[in-house]
Amino acid sequence: MKYLNLLLGLLALVATSAQAAPKQPNIILIMCDDMGWSDLGCYGGEINTPKLDALAKGGIRFTQFYNTGRCCPTRASLLTGLYPHQAGIGHMTSDYGLDAYRGDLNQECVTIAEALKPAGYRTYMSGKWHVTPYNGSELKNPDTHNWPLQRGFDRFFGTIHGAGSLFDPNSLTRDNTYITPDNDPDYQPDGTWYYTDAISDNTVRYITDHAKEHADKPFFHYVAYTAAHWPMHALPEDIAKYEGKYDEGYAPARTARINKLKKMKLLPEHWEPAPLIGDWSQVELKEWESACMEVYAAMVDNMDQGVGRIVQSLKDTDQYENTLILFLQDNGGCAETFGRGKLVGPLERPDKPTLPAMGKDELQTEMIPPQSRDGYPLRRGDGVMPGPAETEVGYGRNWANVSNTPFKEYKHYVHEGGVSTPLIAHWPAGIAKKGSAFRKTKQGNLHDSPSHLIDIMATAVDLAGTDYPANKDGNTIKPAEGISLAAAFSGESLDRGKPIYFEHEGNRAVRDGQWKLVAKGVKGAWEFYDMEADRTESTNLLESKPELAEKMIAQYDAWTEHAGVVPFNSWKKDQKKKKK
């Protein structure tokens, strides 16, 4: 009996240990498009984002997380755990004849989906792909070798191309087949077809189907919204929430954000916010200018509603507690002049469509459609009120400056306004409530360790309990560059051990601990900043810290050799010569 009791005790201990052992979490990676650092409510903004705010309060907000400053390089880096040049997308999705600038995800990398499948994960994607070229003339037999299903995903709904209408996006695809909003047999909403809703709703469907069909397996889901990338398209009911919200112009919105950021402990008093760019008194079309920001806010609001539906689907299928949700954005606010300036098409919407409606099976191939699907002609330029399907307008540099409060510069650049992103991490079963590296606020815990897109792959592999592959399909895979964020989830600081690097269009930077070396453009001079004292990059310390700056310049030069970075103007010029 004594030995029997001992055996039973040992068995009970083993059973208890097995129950306590961490189970592979589901992972949902959500990325939005072209948003500023302080647009979300939980990062200081006035836009209504209660669902994301709730995730932040129940999880962690990273204060110093970085992207690459541009859409497709960020997606390449996020998916592979490499710097974008190493994955073949050092610029955009055009081939410039160099391995780092093929504009097509190479075979010397693996995606997170490919890395997790051997660990038993089912893999899904909804939204924008944008890591391979799109050719709108190849509709019957497109080159799908680098589409999601060929890069590790089991199911896909979204777009291959990087930009387009939110009511009729070009390159709309389900799995490996181009579709239209009208002929997709798997998704026909009761109301208006709107791409942000479609991404959210298809994500919910994949989560629900997974619970029914593969409940014994974990899943990885990549959700890539196009909101709030131009054009400024939104649903009337979402726009109505923000009517008059921005009628007083840029300064009041920016001032309110600065005050809120300070209260939330996201903006120390000793940081000098970047200057306000816009002068509202000089704006001639004030109603139009404020409407651009109203529609932008509506786009973000709608995305937040979709995030809420995704979270609810996890709760409804009993997958909420052990799902890690990560939310971030691909670059800073967009100062591009898209759709502004010269008037194209009628200023006002005609009383009725003036062009033939598109057929149910007629594919949209244009980033800027010449008409809406129901026959309204394209309208863009100063004074064209944004929102409807036939309009093509961006919100402009001045609002991008507000979006990026308190940082300077924008998308394309690698100053803080271009590469800083919120990162919200939420995982009820896996994120600690307390930790030595957390700063506690009323809105939830903050974590200040500098980190980067390259860390997401390392984190996913770590939490899945699998190995990052050295080879795949006969190809040698480049070693991942990042570190796991698991320590941060436990409330500990991250021991990076090496700098973080940036390069895009000649804009370049190195972040090493509290120091940042940065330059704007190929010919731009190096600048040097103390990120603890001055993350808003207002006081250049290059002359007072010459030895440290020189050390980091040497680090950058060595990294360019490692990553295959070539000076921006040189390969652009070489390509022009080849075309001639």
Side-chain angles (χ1 to χ4, degrees):
M1 182 62 74
K2 176 181 179 182
Y3 293 110
L4 178 59
N5 289 336
L6 180 60
L7 178 60
L8 291 173
L10 288 171
L11 289 173
L13 180 61
V14 169
T16 301
S17 299
Q19 292 172 2
K23 181 184 176 184
Q24 290 172 305
N26 303 315
I27 301 172
I28 299 181
L29 180 57
I30 305 175
M31 184 160 67
C32 65
D33 202 341
D34 280 18
M35 277 176 52
W37 193 72
S38 61
D39 279 329
L40 300 180
C42 54
Y43 276 84
E46 71 291 330
I47 301 174
N48 190 38
T49 56
K51 306 305 182 182
L52 285 165
D53 296 351
L55 291 177
K57 190 170 185 179
I60 310 169
R61 280 168 297 157
F62 286 73
T63 65
Q64 298 193 76
F65 198 84
Y66 289 109
N67 52 45
T68 72
R70 193 77 177 276
C71 41
C72 47
T74 280
R75 287 155 213 281
S77 187
L78 177 69
L79 281 166
T80 66
L82 301 174
Y83 288 105
H85 312 77
Q86 296 172 300
I89 303 186
H91 187 234
M92 300 292 281
T93 53
S94 296
D95 188 350
Y96 290 99
L98 297 171
D99 286 346
Y101 300 90
R102 293 291 180 187
D104 201 7
L105 204 64
N106 62 38
Q107 299 301 315
E108 297 174 338
C109 65
V110 292
T111 67
I112 297 175
E114 290 172 314
L116 294 189
K117 284 190 79 70
Y121 276 73
R122 292 281 298 175
T123 54
Y124 311 100
M125 181 182 169
S126 304
K128 171 176 165 177
W129 185 234
H130 203 202
V131 288
T132 193
Y134 164 68
N135 188 342
S137 64
E138 297 178 353
L139 299 180
K140 292 184 178 179
N141 188 30
D143 180 0
T144 63
H145 81 282
N146 254 345
W147 285 17
L149 264 61
Q150 283 63 247
R151 295 311 300 250
F153 290 92
D154 293 312
R155 298 174 73 177
F156 168 63
F157 167 84
T159 43
I160 303 301
H161 190 231
S165 167
L166 273 75
F167 293 101
D168 186 21
N170 63 340
S171 74
L172 187 65
T173 302
R174 186 172 292 283
D175 294 332
N176 278 327
T177 303
Y178 286 134
I179 57 174
T180 75
D182 297 329
N183 73 5
D184 180 7
D186 291 339
Y187 180 69
Q188 291 297 317
D190 292 334
T192 303
W193 193 101
Y194 181 62
Y195 192 28
T196 306
D197 279 339
I199 292 171
S200 301
D201 294 344
N202 276 274
T203 299
V204 168
R205 177 180 174 180
Y206 290 160
I207 290 170
T208 303
D209 287 352
H210 179 90
K212 294 176 181 177
E213 300 166 6
H214 304 285
D216 59 328
K217 293 183 178 181
F219 70 79
F220 168 67
H221 200 312
Y222 175 37
V223 185
Y225 288 106
T226 55
H229 193 293
W230 48 251
M232 302 293 103
H233 282 170
L235 298 172
E237 58 267 32
D238 292 325
I239 299 173
K241 300 178 186 179
Y242 296 92
E243 185 176 353
K245 180 76 173 179
Y246 300 99
D247 285 357
E248 299 304 312
Y250 317 116
R254 178 176 174 273
T255 298
R257 290 192 183 200
I258 289 172
N259 292 336
K260 187 175 178 181
L261 285 164
K262 289 180 177 180
K263 290 180 180 178
M264 299 174 83
K265 301 182 182 179
L266 290 168
L267 177 62
E269 290 288 346
H270 60 274
W271 291 0
E272 181 65 32
L276 175 68
I277 301 299
D279 182 349
W280 194 248
S281 68
Q282 299 300 309
V283 175
E284 294 183 5
L285 301 174
K286 288 183 171 62
E287 182 182 2
W288 172 68
E289 186 73 359
S290 62
C292 288
M293 189 61 189
E294 290 172 7
V295 177
Y296 176 89
M299 295 169 74
V300 177
D301 187 309
N302 182 277
M303 176 189 66
D304 183 79
Q305 296 171 44
V307 171
R309 296 199 298 277
I310 292 169
V311 171
Q312 188 60 49
S313 73
L314 293 171
K315 294 178 178 178
D316 292 343
T317 56
D318 295 324
Q319 299 178 99
Y320 174 73
E321 292 293 325
N322 198 36
T323 297
L324 168 64
I325 300 174
L326 297 171
F327 177 92
L328 69 161
Q329 54 208 43
D330 65 350
N331 46 247
C334 179
E336 295 165 355
T337 57
F338 177 87
R340 302 169 76 85
K342 183 180 179 180
L343 183 65
V344 176
L347 179 64
E348 303 288 342
R349 190 183 209 199
D351 292 336
K352 60 182 179 179
T354 59
L355 299 170
M358 295 176 67
K360 178 180 178 181
D361 298 321
E362 186 177 352
L363 297 173
Q364 180 57 259
T365 63
E366 301 296 328
M367 184 183 77
I368 304 173
Q371 66 171 79
S372 62
R373 292 198 73 84
D374 55 358
Y376 287 95
L378 167 68
R379 298 188 296 122
R380 63 190 312 214
D382 290 356
V384 173
M385 289 296 182
E390 77 279 3
T391 63
E392 293 281 335
V393 178
Y395 79 156
R397 182 170 180 255
N398 293 341
W399 285 121
N401 174 237
V402 174
S403 283
N404 283 339
T405 304
F407 301 130
K408 69 179 181 182
E409 299 302 345
Y410 317 91
K411 172 183 177 181
H412 294 258
Y413 303 105
V414 296
H415 286 75
E416 294 295 286
V419 294
S420 296
T421 171
L423 176 66
I424 299 169
H426 182 274
W427 180 17
I431 291 181
K433 299 297 183 184
K434 298 179 180 179
S436 60
F438 289 155
R439 286 195 292 127
K440 194 170 184 62
T441 75
K442 292 181 180 179
Q443 297 79 28
N445 288 327
L446 302 175
H447 194 282
D448 298 321
S449 295
S451 38
H452 186 275
L453 296 166
I454 54 176
D455 300 332
I456 302 298
M457 169 68 86
T459 305
V461 168
D462 183 13
L463 298 180
T466 191
D467 295 320
Y468 180 83
N471 299 278
K472 186 178 187 300
D473 299 334
N475 298 305
T476 299
I477 302 302
K478 295 175 182 177
E481 295 280 351
I483 64 171
S484 174
L485 301 177
F489 299 159
S490 298
E492 303 170 15
S493 296
L494 296 175
D495 184 11
R496 173 145 237 108
K498 56 183 178 180
I500 297 169
Y501 298 96
F502 307 83
E503 192 281 334
H504 182 67
E505 295 186 337
N507 305 300
R508 55 210 188 277
V510 182
R511 176 70 195 269
D512 193 0
Q514 77 182 84
W515 307 106
K516 183 178 177 184
L517 179 78
V518 62
K520 183 178 178 180
V522 175
K523 297 181 179 180
W526 284 112
E527 304 164 24
F528 193 69
Y529 298 102
D530 181 344
M531 293 283 102
E532 292 180 2
D534 175 32
R535 194 179 163 203
T536 50
E537 299 168 314
S538 62
T539 304
N540 186 356
L541 302 176
L542 191 72
E543 293 185 3
S544 62
K545 300 282 185 183
E547 293 182 1
L548 189 52
E550 286 298 326
K551 173 189 172 185
M552 291 178 67
I553 292 171
Q555 288 175 321
Y556 176 80
D557 290 341
W559 173 76
T560 62
E561 292 290 328
H562 170 70
V565 177
V566 177
F568 180 62
N569 280 351
S570 64
W571 54 262
K572 292 280 282 187
K573 290 177 181 176
D574 288 345
Q575 185 66 7
K576 286 180 181 179
K577 290 178 182 178
K578 290 178 183 179
K579 289 180 179 179
K580 289 180 181 179

